[in-house]
Amino acid sequence: MTFSAPLDNRVPATTASSAAAPTSECGRSRNDDATKTPFYGEVQRTLKNVFGLRDFRLYQLEAINAALSGKDVFILFPTGGGKSLCFQLPAVCEWETKGLTVVVSPLLSLIENQTHALKKRGVDVVTLDDPGAQRLRPGQSLPSLLYCTPERLDHSGKLQNILTSLDKAGQLSRFVIDEAHCISLWGMDFRESYKNLVQLRERYPKVPITALTATANPQTQDDVIKTLKISGCVRLTQPFNRPNLWYEVRRKNQKNQATLHQIITFIRTKHLHHTGVIYCSSREKCEILAQQLRDAGLSAKHYHAEIATEEKTQIQLEWQNDKCKIIVATIAFGMGIDKPDVRFVIHHGVPTSLDGYYQESGRAGRDGKPADCILFYAFKETIYLLKRIRDNEKATTEVKLHKEDGLRHMIAYCENDVDCRRVQVLNYFGQPITPEECGGCCDNCADNRDTYVQDVSEQARSTIRLATTLISTTTKPLTKTDLINKIHGQIKDNSEGGKATPKSKIERLVGRLLDERLLESQTYSIGPNTHAKVHVSAVTITFMGCS
Ligand SMILES: Nc1ncnc2c1ncn2[C@@H]1O[C@H](COP(=O)(O)OP(=O)(O)OP(=O)(O)O)[C@@H](O)[C@H]1O
């Protein structure tokens, strides 16, 4: 086991492991052949006349070509990458594959946003509740697009009959699965009703499928493709690196007021008149923090799932129109929101996975201009998150373990104050980059202290042995902090001339052993408080003979 560390003894935790790179076309430059299709003229006309755009973004044209050629397509573009055009444009193109495109989207609000924008452009689009849905039968003048939720597609026998008859008449062009990561148990927002989309290929074997997502690591991507049975699909991946975003993790001070003070100072000094989002882990925290920001003279409102729908729309509109500058929200806020000039996204608490963090922080700087992503981190808060995962009675053991893994990656990211933040996140998404490509645009790269690489295998072994003894000889359960304090009191680092090992190094070492599951933590409650006690994992006991 090695650590690279700055010379002042900071020691990084492990970075997220890099899964096999997807068979994507990521990083490839625009393919000139893409303009040599028989429908290129029609595609260009539609881009200009219907969508009012002049040029395509990376891989949009390839996605459109694949769709118009009747192929299955898997699109992984980051938030704001321009996924919608990849299925909306082929749906309205006058080409031989023309018929009805059925778009499955997870939220009514997303459906409303998209259908509203399309109608404004003169596109013939319906939802099942529109009067225009009467035209959904063979022989009628069909709309170009039908938007529906997966639940409606699953439960409406009437809709299924319509789709079967359109399919028989050769008038069903395509199924589009938006936010396709919801189909995977490994995705961050698994939805039961998405699982049933597996039946699309069986029911309509000849109808091509397009799946789109902004958040899927290689495991989730493969799972989506397998579940939808589109293994021969054209896979298109835009680079996930967002060079204009500054990534930073700040350790949360024990006192809540100190974090509040830091947030207020940060906004006042750097973003006084700018738009931003602050994510909090609970509804109550959102309300309190928004009030505290208002008390400090800032323009802030809270937003969470329990607010009435009309009020939510109102708050979102005020923010969208710059009447309110800061939204303090739970993760209920964000999906489908297209505000280009968000200058900062602050996480007041730790997100549960890097998928979530990438998506939420990615709402900053969609206009390509510099924006800040600041995460306030306290290990203590992750104990509650771990307990919530383990106590979820609806989740299977497999899903719980997967979510625990996601949280561990997130903790490793926060604890690692040496390696480039971008490298860590992009490794996780299977798009490795070098720290040079970060351009000093994260706190770790901007920190110019020299680093060194140290083999800490022996220290890891002695820490495990010591932890085993301490755990077995202490009557009360040892938390991570207890264990670090006790080890700090006892361990001597031979390589440093008998001086006690700095506590920061022990913290990183224990953190890393937990990340690697050589040590494990188990949650327990005392009264209303949740704690996590550390124990040596079964694997470690077997291999090291500790007991
Ligand atoms: N070729 C293009 N040229 C200019 N603007 C574009 C182009 N394609 C898309 N856009 C604009 O980029 C913005 C983001 O597009 P879109 O909403 O499709 O992104 P997305 O990938 O679906 O993002 P999210 O995952 O956040 O929903 C929109 O305002 C859209 O009009």
Side-chain angles (χ1 to χ4, degrees):
M1 182 185 282
T2 59
F3 283 155
S4 59
L7 291 167
D8 71 347
N9 284 322
R10 291 181 313 159
V11 184
T14 180
T15 52
S17 64
S18 149
T23 54
S24 69
E25 300 176 39
C26 166
R28 213 197 53 181
S29 61
R30 170 72 54 79
N31 178 1
D32 283 342
D33 288 346
T35 60
K36 294 186 182 130
T37 57
F39 35 75
Y40 184 62
E42 168 62 8
V43 166
Q44 277 292 335
R45 267 190 300 281
T46 314
L47 178 74
K48 212 168 133 214
N49 299 343
V50 179
F51 294 93
L53 297 171
R54 284 197 315 205
D55 201 4
F56 289 105
R57 291 194 178 147
L58 189 63
Y59 299 130
Q60 282 182 324
L61 180 57
E62 282 81 351
I64 289 161
N65 286 347
L68 287 170
S69 309
K71 293 178 183 160
D72 293 325
V73 193
F74 179 83
I75 291 170
L76 177 68
F77 290 2
T79 35
K83 289 183 283 299
S84 316
L85 194 75
C86 299
F87 64 85
Q88 290 174 347
L89 192 147
V92 296
C93 253
E94 291 299 332
W95 184 244
E96 56 197 33
T97 52
K98 179 116 175 90
L100 181 73
T101 294
V102 181
V103 184
V104 181
S105 180
L107 297 178
L108 285 172
S109 58
L110 271 181
I111 292 178
E112 268 164 33
N113 286 350
Q114 292 215 358
T115 51
H116 182 68
L118 284 169
K119 279 178 187 164
K120 269 193 3 198
R121 299 204 168 278
V123 173
D124 191 356
V125 52
V126 296
T127 63
L128 287 172
D129 301 320
D130 286 344
Q134 302 295 333
R135 288 185 284 125
L136 289 170
R137 51 180 65 103
Q140 296 277 333
S141 96
L142 278 178
S144 300
L145 294 121
L146 164 71
Y147 273 76
C148 68
T149 59
E151 286 80 9
R152 283 299 279 280
L153 185 62
D154 201 28
H155 298 135
S156 166
K158 190 175 158 204
L159 175 60
Q160 282 170 21
N161 290 340
I162 291 172
L163 296 181
T164 305
S165 55
L166 286 175
D167 185 29
K168 276 191 188 140
Q171 290 186 300
L172 197 50
S173 284
R174 175 164 298 271
F175 286 105
V176 173
I177 318 299
D178 204 3
E179 310 291 348
H181 56 276
C182 298
I183 214 168
S184 169
L185 272 179
W186 314 130
M188 55 179 256
D189 306 304
F190 170 67
R191 292 255 301 242
E192 198 64 37
S193 50
Y194 259 73
K195 209 174 66 185
N196 297 333
L197 296 175
V198 64
Q199 292 167 9
L200 288 180
R201 182 59 12 125
E202 287 150 23
R203 282 195 194 140
Y204 314 99
K206 293 206 180 100
V207 181
I209 295 175
T210 293
L212 307 102
T213 176
T215 11
N217 66 13
Q219 186 187 17
T220 310
Q221 292 167 39
D222 290 344
D223 200 33
V224 170
I225 287 171
K226 198 168 138 217
T227 310
L228 288 172
K229 300 193 175 69
I230 54 169
S231 57
C233 64
V234 174
R235 287 174 81 157
L236 296 159
T237 306
Q238 277 183 1
F240 265 48
N241 189 13
R242 305 267 312 273
N244 59 318
L245 299 187
W246 163 267
Y247 291 106
E248 179 179 344
V249 176
R250 296 191 188 184
R251 292 267 169 171
K252 240 181 190 173
N253 197 296
Q254 294 297 334
K255 297 187 188 89
N256 223 359
Q257 291 302 318
T259 306
L260 173 68
H261 181 70
Q262 276 199 50
I263 291 175
I264 292 172
T265 309
F266 169 75
I267 296 172
R268 275 194 187 142
T269 51
K270 226 183 150 193
H271 295 292
L272 189 55
H273 300 295
H274 293 161
T275 300
V277 183
I278 304 180
Y279 283 106
C280 291
S281 55
S282 73
R283 294 161 192 178
E284 197 192 356
K285 279 187 188 155
C286 292
E287 292 181 14
I288 295 171
L289 183 57
Q291 183 60 53
Q292 287 168 326
L293 295 181
R294 284 196 295 275
D295 292 345
L298 298 170
S299 158
K301 290 206 163 165
H302 65 264
Y303 182 108
H304 54 64
E306 249 168 44
I307 296 176
T309 313
E310 274 171 29
E311 199 185 336
K312 271 199 284 205
T313 313
Q314 181 60 28
I315 295 169
Q316 197 177 312
L317 259 174
E318 284 178 26
W319 180 75
Q320 209 101 34
N321 299 330
D322 291 327
K323 291 202 176 99
C324 160
K325 292 289 181 190
I326 306 162
I327 291 275
V328 186
T330 58
I331 52 170
F333 180 78
M335 213 187 236
I337 284 170
D338 182 22
K339 185 163 172 60
D341 59 346
V342 177
R343 295 274 69 85
F344 63 92
V345 171
I346 294 175
H347 279 78
H348 188 269
V350 196
T352 51
S353 68
L354 276 172
D355 302 79
Y357 183 57
Y358 179 81
Q359 194 175 57
E360 287 139 31
S361 57
R363 296 195 173 114
R366 282 162 71 113
D367 55 8
K369 294 182 187 156
D372 291 317
C373 306
I374 316 280
L375 193 166
F376 284 89
Y377 166 73
F379 176 79
K380 218 170 76 183
E381 290 177 0
T382 67
I383 295 169
Y384 168 71
L385 297 178
L386 186 64
K387 180 171 160 44
R388 215 170 54 185
I389 292 170
R390 290 182 178 171
D391 289 355
N392 181 357
E393 284 169 7
K394 288 187 195 146
T396 61
T397 309
E398 202 184 9
V399 169
K400 284 184 193 175
L401 287 176
H402 175 73
K403 289 203 179 294
E404 274 185 36
D405 254 1
L407 180 59
R408 241 188 307 282
H409 279 309
M410 194 66 237
I411 297 171
Y413 172 88
C414 295
E415 294 269 347
N416 187 338
D417 64 357
V418 173
D419 297 313
C420 171
R421 301 266 176 225
R422 259 190 182 70
V423 168
Q424 293 182 63
V425 173
L426 294 172
N427 264 342
Y428 178 77
F429 285 109
Q431 291 193 7
I433 61 161
T434 62
E436 288 69 39
E437 290 171 76
C438 176
C441 210
C442 76
D443 53 351
N444 287 349
C445 287
D447 185 338
N448 52 18
R449 280 173 291 178
D450 287 336
T451 57
Y452 65 95
V453 175
Q454 184 185 10
D455 183 345
V456 290
S457 308
E458 191 42 52
Q459 288 172 359
R461 274 191 285 271
S462 53
T463 303
I464 290 171
R465 277 190 218 104
L466 193 48
T468 310
T469 312
L470 289 167
I471 290 164
S472 63
T473 55
T474 312
T475 43
K476 84 178 193 32
L478 291 182
T479 63
K480 181 184 171 193
T481 313
D482 295 334
L483 186 65
I484 289 165
N485 287 339
K486 282 188 181 288
I487 293 175
H488 185 227
Q490 295 205 12
I491 205 170
K492 296 282 179 206
D493 186 349
N494 293 334
S495 67
E496 293 179 30
K499 274 196 302 176
T501 305
K503 195 167 166 191
S504 58
K505 200 172 200 173
I506 299 169
E507 279 170 358
R508 301 303 297 272
L509 198 49
V510 171
R512 175 79 179 261
L513 292 171
L514 282 161
D515 293 340
E516 303 277 353
R517 306 194 82 163
L518 294 164
L519 297 177
E520 286 179 337
S521 55
Q522 190 182 348
T523 52
Y524 65 98
S525 300
I526 299 179
N529 300 321
T530 302
H531 306 270
K533 65 177 175 183
V534 177
H535 64 93
V536 181
S537 74
V539 175
T540 313
I541 292 171
T542 309
F543 282 100
M544 286 189 56
C546 303
S547 58

